[in-house]
Coordinates of all heavy atoms in Angstrom, one line a residue:
M1 N 0.8 -1.2 0.0 CA 0.0 0.0 0.0 C 0.9 1.2 0.0 O 1.8 1.4 0.8 CB -0.9 0.0 1.2 CG -1.9 1.1 1.3 SD -2.9 1.2 2.7 CE -4.2 0.0 2.3
N2 N 0.6 2.2 -0.9 CA 1.5 3.4 -1.0 C 0.9 4.4 -0.1 O -0.2 4.3 0.5 CB 1.6 3.9 -2.4 CG 0.3 4.4 -3.0 OD1 -0.5 4.9 -2.3 ND2 0.2 4.2 -4.3
I3 N 1.6 5.5 0.0 CA 1.2 6.6 1.0 C -0.1 7.2 0.6 O -0.9 7.6 1.5 CB 2.4 7.6 1.1 CG1 2.1 8.6 2.3 CG2 2.5 8.5 -0.1 CD1 2.5 8.0 3.6
Q4 N -0.4 7.4 -0.7 CA -1.6 8.0 -1.1 C -2.8 7.1 -0.7 O -3.8 7.6 -0.2 CB -1.7 8.2 -2.6 CG -0.9 9.4 -3.1 CD -1.0 9.7 -4.5 OE1 -1.0 8.7 -5.3 NE2 -1.0 10.9 -4.9
Q5 N -2.7 5.8 -0.9 CA -3.7 4.9 -0.5 C -4.0 5.0 1.1 O -5.1 4.9 1.5 CB -3.4 3.5 -0.9 CG -3.5 3.2 -2.4 CD -3.1 1.9 -2.8 OE1 -2.1 1.4 -2.2 NE2 -3.7 1.3 -3.8
M6 N -2.9 5.0 1.8 CA -2.9 5.1 3.3 C -3.6 6.4 3.7 O -4.5 6.4 4.6 CB -1.6 5.1 3.9 CG -1.0 3.7 3.8 SD 0.7 3.6 4.5 CE 0.6 4.3 6.1
M7 N -3.3 7.5 3.0 CA -4.0 8.8 3.3 C -5.5 8.7 3.0 O -6.3 9.3 3.8 CB -3.3 9.9 2.5 CG -1.9 10.2 3.0 SD -1.8 10.8 4.7 CE -2.6 12.4 4.6
K8 N -5.9 8.1 1.9 CA -7.3 8.0 1.5 C -8.0 7.1 2.6 O -9.1 7.5 3.0 CB -7.4 7.4 0.1 CG -7.2 8.3 -1.0 CD -7.5 7.7 -2.3 CE -7.2 8.7 -3.4 NZ -7.5 8.1 -4.8
Q9 N -7.4 6.1 3.0 CA -8.0 5.2 4.1 C -8.1 6.0 5.4 O -9.2 5.9 6.0 CB -7.1 4.0 4.3 CG -7.2 2.9 3.2 CD -8.6 2.3 3.1 OE1 -9.3 2.7 2.2 NE2 -8.9 1.5 4.0
A10 N -7.1 6.8 5.7 CA -7.2 7.6 6.9 C -8.3 8.6 6.8 O -9.0 8.9 7.8 CB -5.8 8.3 7.2
Q11 N -8.5 9.2 5.7 CA -9.5 10.2 5.5 C -10.9 9.6 5.6 O -11.8 10.2 6.1 CB -9.3 10.9 4.1 CG -8.2 11.9 4.1 CD -7.9 12.5 2.7 OE1 -8.3 11.9 1.7 NE2 -7.1 13.6 2.7
K12 N -11.0 8.4 5.0 CA -12.3 7.7 5.1 C -12.6 7.4 6.5 O -13.8 7.5 7.0 CB -12.2 6.4 4.3 CG -12.4 6.6 2.8 CD -12.4 5.2 2.1 CE -12.4 5.4 0.6 NZ -12.3 4.1 -0.1
M13 N -11.6 6.9 7.3 CA -11.9 6.6 8.7 C -12.2 7.8 9.5 O -13.1 7.8 10.3 CB -10.6 5.9 9.3 CG -10.9 5.5 10.8 SD -9.6 4.5 11.5 CE -10.1 2.9 11.0
Q14 N -11.5 8.9 9.2 CA -11.8 10.2 9.9 C -13.3 10.6 9.6 O -14.0 11.0 10.5 CB -10.9 11.3 9.4 CG -11.1 12.6 10.2 CD -10.1 13.7 9.8 OE1 -9.3 13.5 8.9 NE2 -10.2 14.8 10.4
K15 N -13.7 10.5 8.4 CA -15.1 10.9 8.0 C -16.1 10.0 8.8 O -17.1 10.4 9.3 CB -15.3 10.8 6.5 CG -16.7 11.2 6.1 CD -16.9 11.3 4.7 CE -18.3 11.8 4.4 NZ -18.8 11.7 3.2
K16 N -15.8 8.7 8.8 CA -16.7 7.7 9.5 C -16.7 8.0 11.0 O -17.7 7.9 11.7 CB -16.2 6.3 9.3 CG -16.6 5.8 7.9 CD -16.2 4.3 7.7 CE -16.5 3.8 6.4 NZ -16.2 2.4 6.2
M17 N -15.6 8.4 11.6 CA -15.5 8.7 13.0 C -16.3 10.0 13.3 O -17.0 10.1 14.3 CB -14.0 8.9 13.4 CG -13.3 7.6 13.5 SD -11.5 7.8 13.8 CE -11.5 8.9 15.2
E18 N -16.2 11.0 12.4 CA -17.0 12.2 12.6 C -18.5 11.9 12.5 O -19.3 12.4 13.3 CB -16.6 13.2 11.5 CG -15.2 13.8 11.8 CD -14.7 14.7 10.6 OE1 -15.4 14.8 9.6 OE2 -13.6 15.2 10.7
E19 N -18.9 11.0 11.6 CA -20.3 10.6 11.5 C -20.7 9.9 12.7 O -21.8 10.1 13.2 CB -20.5 9.7 10.2 CG -20.3 10.5 8.9 CD -20.3 9.6 7.7 OE1 -20.3 8.4 7.8 OE2 -20.2 10.1 6.6
A20 N -19.9 9.0 13.2 CA -20.2 8.3 14.4 C -20.4 9.2 15.6 O -21.3 9.0 16.5 CB -19.2 7.2 14.7
Q21 N -19.5 10.2 15.7 CA -19.6 11.2 16.8 C -20.9 11.9 16.7 O -21.5 12.2 17.7 CB -18.4 12.2 16.8 CG -17.1 11.7 17.4 CD -16.1 12.7 17.3 OE1 -15.7 13.3 16.3 NE2 -15.5 13.0 18.5
A22 N -21.2 12.4 15.5 CA -22.5 13.1 15.3 C -23.7 12.3 15.7 O -24.6 12.7 16.3 CB -22.6 13.6 13.9
E23 N -23.6 11.0 15.3 CA -24.7 10.1 15.6 C -24.8 9.9 17.1 O -25.9 9.9 17.7 CB -24.4 8.8 14.9 CG -25.6 7.8 14.9 CD -25.3 6.5 14.1 OE1 -24.9 6.7 12.9 OE2 -25.4 5.5 14.7
A24 N -23.7 9.7 17.8 CA -23.6 9.5 19.2 C -24.1 10.7 20.0 O -24.8 10.6 21.0 CB -22.2 9.1 19.7
A25 N -23.8 11.9 19.5 CA -24.3 13.1 20.1 C -25.8 13.2 20.2 O -26.3 13.8 21.1 CB -23.7 14.3 19.4
L26 N -26.5 12.5 19.3 CA -27.9 12.6 19.2 C -28.6 11.6 20.2 O -29.7 11.7 20.5 CB -28.4 12.3 17.8 CG -28.0 13.4 16.8 CD1 -28.5 12.9 15.4 CD2 -28.6 14.7 17.1
E27 N -27.8 10.6 20.6 CA -28.3 9.6 21.5 C -28.5 10.2 22.9 O -27.8 11.0 23.4 CB -27.3 8.4 21.7 CG -27.0 7.6 20.4 CD -28.0 6.5 20.2 OE1 -28.6 6.1 21.1 OE2 -28.1 6.1 19.0
V28 N -29.6 9.7 23.5 CA -29.9 10.2 24.9 C -30.2 8.9 25.7 O -30.9 8.1 25.3 CB -31.2 11.1 24.9 CG1 -31.5 11.4 26.3 CG2 -30.9 12.4 24.1
V29 N -29.5 8.9 26.8 CA -29.6 7.7 27.7 C -30.2 8.2 29.0 O -30.1 9.4 29.4 CB -28.3 7.0 28.0 CG1 -27.7 6.4 26.8 CG2 -27.3 8.0 28.7
E30 N -30.9 7.3 29.7 CA -31.5 7.7 31.0 C -30.8 6.8 32.1 O -30.5 5.7 31.9 CB -33.0 7.4 31.0 CG -33.8 8.4 30.4 CD -35.3 8.1 30.6 OE1 -35.7 7.2 31.4 OE2 -36.1 8.8 30.0
A31 N -30.7 7.5 33.3 CA -30.2 6.8 34.5 C -31.1 7.2 35.6 O -31.5 8.3 35.7 CB -28.7 7.1 34.7
T32 N -31.3 6.3 36.5 CA -32.1 6.6 37.7 C -31.4 6.3 39.0 O -30.4 5.5 39.0 CB -33.4 5.8 37.7 OG1 -33.1 4.4 37.8 CG2 -34.2 6.1 36.4
A33 N -31.9 6.8 40.1 CA -31.3 6.5 41.4 C -32.5 6.6 42.4 O -33.6 7.2 42.1 CB -30.3 7.6 41.8
G34 N -32.3 5.9 43.5 CA -33.4 5.9 44.5 C -34.6 5.2 44.0 O -35.8 5.7 44.3
G35 N -34.5 4.1 43.3 CA -35.6 3.4 42.8 C -36.5 4.1 41.9 O -37.7 4.0 41.8
G36 N -35.8 5.0 41.1 CA -36.6 5.8 40.1 C -37.0 7.1 40.6 O -37.7 7.8 39.8
M37 N -36.6 7.5 41.8 CA -37.1 8.8 42.3 C -36.4 9.9 41.6 O -36.9 11.0 41.5 CB -36.8 8.9 43.8 CG -37.6 7.8 44.6 SD -39.4 7.9 44.4 CE -39.8 9.2 45.5
I38 N -35.2 9.7 41.1 CA -34.4 10.7 40.4 C -34.1 10.1 39.0 O -33.6 9.0 38.9 CB -33.0 11.0 41.0 CG1 -33.2 11.4 42.5 CG2 -32.3 12.1 40.2 CD1 -33.8 12.8 42.7
T39 N -34.4 10.8 37.9 CA -34.1 10.4 36.6 C -33.3 11.4 35.9 O -33.6 12.6 35.9 CB -35.3 10.1 35.8 OG1 -36.1 9.1 36.4 CG2 -35.0 9.6 34.4
V40 N -32.2 11.0 35.3 CA -31.3 12.0 34.6 C -31.2 11.5 33.1 O -31.0 10.3 32.9 CB -29.9 12.0 35.2 CG1 -28.9 12.9 34.4 CG2 -30.0 12.6 36.6
K41 N -31.3 12.5 32.2 CA -31.1 12.2 30.8 C -29.8 12.9 30.3 O -29.6 14.0 30.6 CB -32.2 12.7 30.0 CG -33.5 12.0 30.2 CD -34.7 12.5 29.4 CE -35.9 11.8 29.7 NZ -37.1 12.3 28.9
V42 N -28.9 12.1 29.6 CA -27.6 12.6 29.2 C -27.5 12.3 27.7 O -27.8 11.2 27.3 CB -26.5 11.9 30.0 CG1 -25.1 12.5 29.5 CG2 -26.7 12.1 31.4
N43 N -27.0 13.2 26.9 CA -26.8 13.0 25.5 C -25.3 12.5 25.2 O -24.5 12.5 26.2 CB -27.2 14.2 24.6 CG -26.2 15.4 24.8 OD1 -25.1 15.3 25.3 ND2 -26.7 16.5 24.4
G44 N -25.1 12.2 24.0 CA -23.8 11.7 23.6 C -22.6 12.7 23.7 O -21.5 12.3 23.5
K45 N -23.0 13.9 23.9 CA -22.0 15.0 24.1 C -21.6 15.1 25.5 O -20.9 16.1 25.9 CB -22.5 16.3 23.6 CG -22.7 16.4 22.1 CD -23.2 17.8 21.8 CE -23.7 18.0 20.4 NZ -24.2 19.4 20.2
Q46 N -22.1 14.2 26.4 CA -21.9 14.3 27.8 C -22.5 15.5 28.5 O -22.0 16.0 29.4 CB -20.4 14.3 28.2 CG -19.6 13.2 27.4 CD -20.0 11.8 27.8 OE1 -19.7 11.3 28.8 NE2 -20.7 11.1 26.8
E47 N -23.7 15.9 27.9 CA -24.4 17.0 28.4 C -25.7 16.5 29.1 O -26.4 15.6 28.6 CB -24.9 18.0 27.3 CG -23.7 18.6 26.6 CD -24.2 19.4 25.4 OE1 -25.2 19.1 24.8 OE2 -23.5 20.3 25.0
I48 N -26.0 17.0 30.3 CA -27.2 16.6 31.0 C -28.4 17.4 30.3 O -28.3 18.6 30.3 CB -27.1 16.9 32.5 CG1 -25.9 16.3 32.9 CG2 -28.4 16.6 33.2 CD1 -25.7 15.7 34.2
V49 N -29.3 16.7 29.8 CA -30.4 17.4 29.0 C -31.7 17.3 29.8 O -32.7 17.9 29.3 CB -30.6 16.8 27.6 CG1 -29.3 17.1 26.8 CG2 -30.9 15.3 27.6
G50 N -31.8 16.6 30.9 CA -33.0 16.6 31.7 C -32.8 15.9 33.1 O -32.0 15.0 33.2
I51 N -33.5 16.5 34.1 CA -33.5 15.8 35.4 C -34.9 15.9 35.9 O -35.6 16.9 35.8 CB -32.6 16.6 36.4 CG1 -31.1 16.5 36.0 CG2 -32.8 16.0 37.8 CD1 -30.2 17.3 36.9
T52 N -35.4 14.7 36.4 CA -36.7 14.6 36.9 C -36.6 14.2 38.4 O -35.9 13.2 38.7 CB -37.6 13.6 36.2 OG1 -37.6 14.0 34.8 CG2 -39.0 13.6 36.7
I53 N -37.2 14.9 39.3 CA -37.1 14.6 40.7 C -38.6 14.4 41.2 O -39.4 15.3 41.1 CB -36.4 15.7 41.5 CG1 -35.0 15.9 41.0 CG2 -36.5 15.3 43.0 CD1 -34.3 17.1 41.6
E54 N -38.9 13.2 41.7 CA -40.2 12.9 42.3 C -40.4 13.7 43.6 O -39.4 13.8 44.4 CB -40.4 11.4 42.5 CG -40.3 10.6 41.2 CD -41.5 10.8 40.3 OE1 -42.6 11.1 40.8 OE2 -41.2 10.8 39.1
K55 N -41.6 14.2 43.8 CA -41.8 15.0 45.0 C -41.6 14.3 46.3 O -41.1 14.9 47.2 CB -43.3 15.5 44.9 CG -43.5 16.6 43.9 CD -45.0 17.0 43.9 CE -45.2 18.0 42.8 NZ -46.6 18.5 42.7
D56 N -41.8 13.0 46.2 CA -41.7 12.2 47.5 C -40.3 12.1 48.0 O -40.1 11.9 49.2 CB -42.2 10.8 47.2 CG -43.7 10.7 46.9 OD1 -44.4 11.7 47.2 OD2 -44.1 9.7 46.4
V57 N -39.3 12.4 47.2 CA -37.9 12.3 47.6 C -37.4 13.6 48.2 O -36.3 13.7 48.8 CB -37.0 11.8 46.4 CG1 -36.7 12.9 45.5 CG2 -35.7 11.2 47.0
V58 N -38.2 14.7 48.0 CA -37.7 16.0 48.5 C -38.1 16.1 50.0 O -39.3 16.2 50.3 CB -38.4 17.1 47.7 CG1 -37.9 18.5 48.2 CG2 -38.0 17.0 46.2
D59 N -37.1 16.1 50.8 CA -37.3 16.2 52.2 C -36.4 17.3 52.7 O -35.2 17.1 52.8 CB -37.0 14.9 52.9 CG -37.1 14.9 54.4 OD1 -37.5 16.0 55.0 OD2 -36.9 13.9 55.1
P60 N -37.0 18.4 53.1 CA -36.2 19.6 53.6 C -35.3 19.2 54.8 O -34.2 19.8 55.0 CB -37.2 20.6 54.0 CG -38.5 20.2 53.4 CD -38.4 18.7 53.2
E61 N -35.6 18.1 55.5 CA -34.8 17.7 56.6 C -33.6 16.8 56.2 O -32.8 16.5 57.0 CB -35.7 17.0 57.6 CG -36.8 17.8 58.2 CD -36.3 19.0 58.9 OE1 -35.4 18.9 59.7 OE2 -37.0 20.1 58.7
D62 N -33.6 16.4 54.9 CA -32.6 15.4 54.5 C -32.1 15.8 53.1 O -32.2 15.0 52.1 CB -33.1 14.0 54.5 CG -32.0 13.0 54.4 OD1 -30.8 13.4 54.3 OD2 -32.3 11.8 54.4
V63 N -31.6 17.0 53.0 CA -31.1 17.5 51.7 C -29.9 16.7 51.2 O -29.8 16.5 50.0 CB -30.7 19.0 51.8 CG1 -30.1 19.5 50.5 CG2 -32.0 19.8 52.1
E64 N -29.1 16.2 52.1 CA -27.9 15.4 51.7 C -28.3 14.1 50.9 O -27.7 13.8 50.0 CB -27.1 15.0 53.0 CG -26.2 16.1 53.5 CD -25.3 15.6 54.6 OE1 -25.1 14.4 54.8 OE2 -24.8 16.5 55.3
M65 N -29.4 13.5 51.3 CA -29.8 12.3 50.6 C -30.2 12.7 49.2 O -29.9 12.0 48.2 CB -31.0 11.6 51.3 CG -31.5 10.4 50.5 SD -33.1 9.7 51.1 CE -34.2 11.0 50.6
L66 N -30.9 13.8 49.0 CA -31.3 14.2 47.7 C -30.1 14.5 46.8 O -30.0 14.1 45.7 CB -32.2 15.5 47.8 CG -32.7 16.1 46.5 CD1 -33.5 15.1 45.6 CD2 -33.5 17.3 46.7
Q67 N -29.1 15.2 47.4 CA -27.9 15.5 46.7 C -27.2 14.2 46.3 O -26.7 14.1 45.2 CB -27.0 16.3 47.6 CG -27.5 17.7 47.9 CD -26.7 18.5 48.9 OE1 -26.0 17.9 49.8 NE2 -26.8 19.8 48.9
D68 N -27.1 13.2 47.2 CA -26.5 12.0 46.9 C -27.2 11.2 45.7 O -26.5 10.7 44.9 CB -26.4 11.1 48.1 CG -25.4 11.6 49.2 OD1 -24.6 12.4 48.9 OD2 -25.5 11.1 50.3
L69 N -28.5 11.3 45.8 CA -29.3 10.6 44.7 C -29.0 11.3 43.4 O -28.9 10.6 42.3 CB -30.7 10.6 45.0 CG -31.1 9.6 46.2 CD1 -32.6 9.8 46.5 CD2 -30.8 8.2 45.9
I70 N -29.0 12.6 43.4 CA -28.8 13.3 42.1 C -27.4 13.0 41.6 O -27.2 12.7 40.4 CB -29.0 14.8 42.3 CG1 -30.4 15.1 42.6 CG2 -28.5 15.6 41.1 CD1 -30.7 16.6 43.0
L71 N -26.4 13.0 42.4 CA -25.0 12.7 42.0 C -24.9 11.3 41.5 O -24.3 11.0 40.4 CB -24.0 12.8 43.2 CG -23.5 14.2 43.5 CD1 -22.7 14.2 44.8 CD2 -22.8 14.8 42.4
A72 N -25.6 10.3 42.1 CA -25.6 8.9 41.7 C -26.2 8.8 40.3 O -25.6 8.2 39.4 CB -26.3 8.0 42.7
A73 N -27.3 9.5 40.1 CA -28.0 9.4 38.8 C -27.2 10.1 37.7 O -27.1 9.6 36.6 CB -29.4 10.0 38.9
V74 N -26.6 11.2 38.0 CA -25.8 12.0 37.0 C -24.6 11.1 36.6 O -24.3 11.0 35.4 CB -25.4 13.4 37.5 CG1 -24.3 14.0 36.7 CG2 -26.6 14.3 37.6
N75 N -23.9 10.6 37.6 CA -22.7 9.8 37.3 C -23.0 8.6 36.5 O -22.3 8.2 35.5 CB -22.0 9.4 38.6 CG -21.2 10.6 39.2 OD1 -20.8 11.5 38.4 ND2 -21.1 10.7 40.5
E76 N -24.1 7.9 36.8 CA -24.6 6.7 36.0 C -25.0 7.1 34.6 O -24.6 6.4 33.6 CB -25.7 6.0 36.7 CG -26.2 4.8 36.0 CD -25.1 3.7 35.9 OE1 -24.2 3.6 36.8 OE2 -25.2 2.8 35.0
G77 N -25.6 8.3 34.5 CA -26.0 8.8 33.1 C -24.8 9.1 32.3 O -24.7 8.7 31.1
L78 N -23.8 9.7 32.9 CA -22.6 10.0 32.1 C -21.8 8.7 31.7 O -21.3 8.6 30.6 CB -21.6 10.9 33.0 CG -22.1 12.4 33.2 CD1 -21.3 13.1 34.2 CD2 -22.2 13.1 31.9
K79 N -21.8 7.8 32.6 CA -21.2 6.5 32.3 C -21.9 5.8 31.1 O -21.2 5.3 30.2 CB -21.2 5.6 33.6 CG -20.6 4.2 33.4 CD -20.7 3.4 34.6 CE -20.3 1.9 34.3 NZ -20.6 1.1 35.4
K80 N -23.2 5.8 31.2 CA -23.9 5.2 30.1 C -23.7 5.9 28.8 O -23.6 5.3 27.7 CB -25.4 5.1 30.4 CG -25.9 4.1 31.4 CD -27.4 4.1 31.6 CE -27.8 3.1 32.5 NZ -29.3 3.0 32.7
S81 N -23.7 7.2 28.8 CA -23.4 8.0 27.6 C -22.1 7.7 27.1 O -21.9 7.6 25.8 CB -23.6 9.5 28.0 OG -23.3 10.3 26.9
Q82 N -21.1 7.6 27.9 CA -19.7 7.3 27.4 C -19.7 5.9 26.8 O -19.0 5.7 25.8 CB -18.7 7.4 28.6 CG -18.5 8.8 29.1 CD -17.7 8.8 30.4 OE1 -17.5 7.8 31.1 NE2 -17.3 10.0 30.8
E83 N -20.4 5.0 27.3 CA -20.5 3.6 26.8 C -21.1 3.7 25.4 O -20.6 3.0 24.5 CB -21.2 2.7 27.7 CG -20.5 2.4 28.9 CD -21.4 1.6 30.0 OE1 -22.6 1.4 29.7 OE2 -20.8 1.3 31.0
V84 N -22.1 4.5 25.2 CA -22.7 4.6 23.8 C -21.7 5.2 22.8 O -21.5 4.6 21.7 CB -24.0 5.5 23.9 CG1 -24.4 5.9 22.5 CG2 -25.1 4.8 24.6
V85 N -21.0 6.2 23.2 CA -20.0 6.8 22.4 C -18.9 5.8 22.0 O -18.5 5.6 20.9 CB -19.3 8.1 23.0 CG1 -18.2 8.6 22.2 CG2 -20.4 9.2 23.1
Q86 N -18.4 5.0 23.0 CA -17.4 4.0 22.8 C -17.9 2.9 21.9 O -17.1 2.5 21.0 CB -16.9 3.4 24.1 CG -16.1 4.3 24.9 CD -15.7 3.7 26.3 OE1 -16.3 2.8 26.8 NE2 -14.6 4.2 26.8
Q87 N -19.1 2.5 22.0 CA -19.6 1.5 21.1 C -19.7 2.0 19.7 O -19.3 1.3 18.7 CB -21.1 1.1 21.5 CG -21.1 0.3 22.8 CD -22.5 0.0 23.3 OE1 -23.5 0.6 22.8 NE2 -22.6 -0.8 24.4
K88 N -20.1 3.2 19.5 CA -20.2 3.8 18.1 C -18.8 3.9 17.5 O -18.6 3.6 16.4 CB -20.9 5.2 18.2 CG -22.3 5.2 18.7 CD -23.2 5.3 17.5 CE -24.7 5.3 18.1 NZ -25.6 4.5 17.4
M89 N -17.8 4.4 18.3 CA -16.5 4.6 17.8 C -15.8 3.2 17.6 O -15.1 3.0 16.6 CB -15.6 5.4 18.8 CG -16.2 6.8 18.9 SD -16.5 7.7 17.4 CE -14.8 7.9 16.8
S90 N -16.1 2.2 18.4 CA -15.5 0.9 18.2 C -16.0 0.3 16.9 O -15.3 -0.5 16.2 CB -15.9 0.0 19.3 OG -15.2 0.4 20.5
A91 N -17.3 0.6 16.5 CA -17.8 0.1 15.3 C -17.0 0.7 14.1 O -16.8 0.0 13.1 CB -19.3 0.5 15.1
V92 N -16.5 1.9 14.2 CA -15.7 2.5 13.2 C -14.3 2.0 13.1 O -13.8 1.7 12.1 CB -15.7 4.1 13.3 CG1 -14.8 4.7 12.3 CG2 -17.1 4.6 13.1
T93 N -13.7 1.9 14.3 CA -12.3 1.5 14.4 C -12.1 0.0 14.3 O -11.0 -0.4 14.2 CB -11.6 2.1 15.6 OG1 -12.2 1.5 16.8 CG2 -11.7 3.6 15.7
G94 N -13.2 -0.7 14.5 CA -13.1 -2.2 14.4 C -12.3 -2.7 15.6 O -11.6 -3.7 15.5
N95 N -12.4 -2.0 16.7 CA -11.8 -2.4 18.0 C -10.3 -2.6 17.8 O -9.7 -3.6 18.2 CB -12.4 -3.7 18.5 CG -13.7 -3.5 19.2 OD1 -13.9 -2.4 19.8 ND2 -14.5 -4.5 19.2
L96 N -9.7 -1.7 17.1 CA -8.2 -1.7 16.8 C -7.4 -1.3 18.1 O -6.2 -1.3 18.0 CB -7.9 -0.8 15.7 CG -8.4 -1.1 14.3 CD1 -8.1 0.0 13.3 CD2 -7.9 -2.4 13.8
G97 N -8.1 -1.0 19.1 CA -7.4 -0.6 20.3 C -6.9 0.9 20.3 O -6.1 1.3 21.0
I98 N -7.5 1.6 19.4 CA -7.2 3.0 19.2 C -8.0 3.8 20.2 O -9.2 3.7 20.3 CB -7.5 3.5 17.8 CG1 -6.8 2.7 16.7 CG2 -7.2 5.0 17.7 CD1 -7.2 3.0 15.3
N99 N -7.3 4.6 21.0 CA -7.9 5.5 22.0 C -7.7 6.9 21.5 O -6.6 7.4 21.3 CB -7.3 5.3 23.3 CG -8.0 6.0 24.4 OD1 -9.1 6.6 24.2 ND2 -7.4 6.1 25.6
F100 N -8.8 7.6 21.4 CA -8.7 9.0 20.9 C -9.0 9.9 22.1 O -10.1 10.0 22.6 CB -9.8 9.2 19.8 CG -9.6 8.3 18.6 CD1 -10.3 7.2 18.5 CD2 -8.7 8.7 17.6 CE1 -10.1 6.3 17.4 CE2 -8.5 7.9 16.6 CZ -9.2 6.7 16.5
P101 N -7.9 10.6 22.5 CA -8.0 11.5 23.7 C -9.2 12.5 23.5 O -9.4 13.0 22.4 CB -6.7 12.2 23.7 CG -5.8 11.3 22.9 CD -6.6 10.7 21.9
G102 N -9.9 12.7 24.6 CA -11.0 13.7 24.6 C -12.3 13.2 24.1 O -13.3 13.9 24.1
M103 N -12.3 11.9 23.6 CA -13.5 11.4 23.0 C -14.2 10.4 24.0 O -15.3 10.1 23.8 CB -13.2 10.8 21.7 CG -12.8 11.8 20.6 SD -12.4 11.1 19.1 CE -13.8 10.1 18.6
F104 N -13.4 9.9 24.9 CA -14.0 8.9 25.8 C -13.8 9.3 27.2 O -12.8 9.9 27.6 CB -13.4 7.5 25.6 CG -13.5 7.0 24.2 CD1 -12.3 6.9 23.4 CD2 -14.7 6.8 23.6 CE1 -12.4 6.4 22.1 CE2 -14.8 6.3 22.3 CZ -13.6 6.1 21.6

């Protein structure tokens, strides 16, 4: 394979990676905590796009529990979102073991 062919292959892979990133950015995952009392939605850009808090979990005497549940749901949502992005990128790279900084 000559250098021009390698460059064309690299450009094709780059385009596929960009498409996979754009596709992953549109994905929205949900994560819950407290038996569904807190629900967080996260997109493939690692942005929180929604939080739902059931009224029953709001206790002015126990704000720490609410904070902990929100943190748990947010962290789980981010983890799920990262997994979606990794799956999409692995489909492009063919699990070559390539790690792209800032993408995962």
Side-chain angles (χ1 to χ4, degrees):
M1 184 181 280
N2 67 32
I3 192 79
Q4 283 183 323
Q5 288 174 322
M6 287 176 54
M7 291 299 289
K8 282 184 182 183
Q9 286 295 102
Q11 288 172 342
K12 283 182 185 179
M13 182 175 271
Q14 182 178 3
K15 184 176 183 192
K16 285 183 180 181
M17 288 173 50
E18 289 170 357
E19 290 169 356
Q21 278 183 305
E23 192 177 306
L26 298 175
E27 294 276 337
V28 176
V29 296
E30 280 190 7
T32 63
M37 298 301 279
I38 307 286
T39 302
V40 174
K41 293 181 182 181
V42 182
N43 68 19
K45 292 181 190 178
Q46 312 298 286
E47 298 170 334
I48 306 212
V49 295
I51 296 178
T52 303
I53 302 172
E54 297 294 325
K55 289 180 183 181
D56 296 343
V57 78
V58 179
D59 179 358
E61 301 298 318
D62 194 2
V63 175
E64 279 186 20
M65 180 189 67
L66 179 59
Q67 292 169 339
D68 290 344
L69 290 173
I70 292 169
L71 279 175
V74 166
N75 286 329
E76 182 63 23
L78 290 171
K79 179 182 171 190
K80 285 182 176 184
S81 176
Q82 290 169 349
E83 289 170 357
V84 166
V85 172
Q86 285 179 335
Q87 288 172 354
K88 299 258 184 221
M89 297 309 292
S90 291
V92 172
T93 63
N95 283 329
L96 297 174
I98 300 171
N99 186 10
F100 299 97
M103 292 174 58
F104 305 113

